[in-house]
Amino acid sequence: MEKTYKIEVDCANCAAKMEAAAKQVEGVADAAVSFMTQKMKVTFAQGTDPAAVMPAVLKACKKVERDCEIEF
């Protein structure tokens, strides 16, 4: 399952780091963060509940950029 979320990210370098951090979260098969569109596309692993995984994704992204916000 793939979902797109609105994300607040300050620079392209941070977006790349946040993308890498999101990919490390259990339940995330793939992730892509676009600084230009301020969107994050997340592909979830088979049988994963997105609502259960996204708080962990946000936590991982906040380690890169403290003031990051993801609307989910």
Side-chain angles (χ1 to χ4, degrees):
M1 172 188 292
E2 184 176 284
K3 288 194 166 211
T4 302
Y5 300 93
K6 186 171 175 13
I7 188 169
E8 196 174 297
V9 59
D10 294 335
C11 70
N13 187 42
C14 292
K17 289 180 181 178
M18 290 165 69
E19 182 177 303
K23 288 179 180 180
Q24 299 300 314
V25 174
E26 188 174 336
V28 174
D30 195 24
V33 178
S34 172
F35 169 67
M36 294 300 290
T37 62
Q38 297 285 294
K39 294 195 179 192
M40 172 185 249
K41 194 176 287 186
V42 181
T43 304
F44 297 95
Q46 185 74 21
T48 302
D49 178 19
V53 174
M54 284 309 293
V57 171
L58 177 61
K59 185 177 179 180
C61 289
K62 283 191 175 276
K63 287 181 181 177
V64 174
E65 188 174 299
R66 267 192 325 233
D67 62 346
C68 161
E69 292 299 328
I70 302 172
E71 293 180 23
F72 54 89

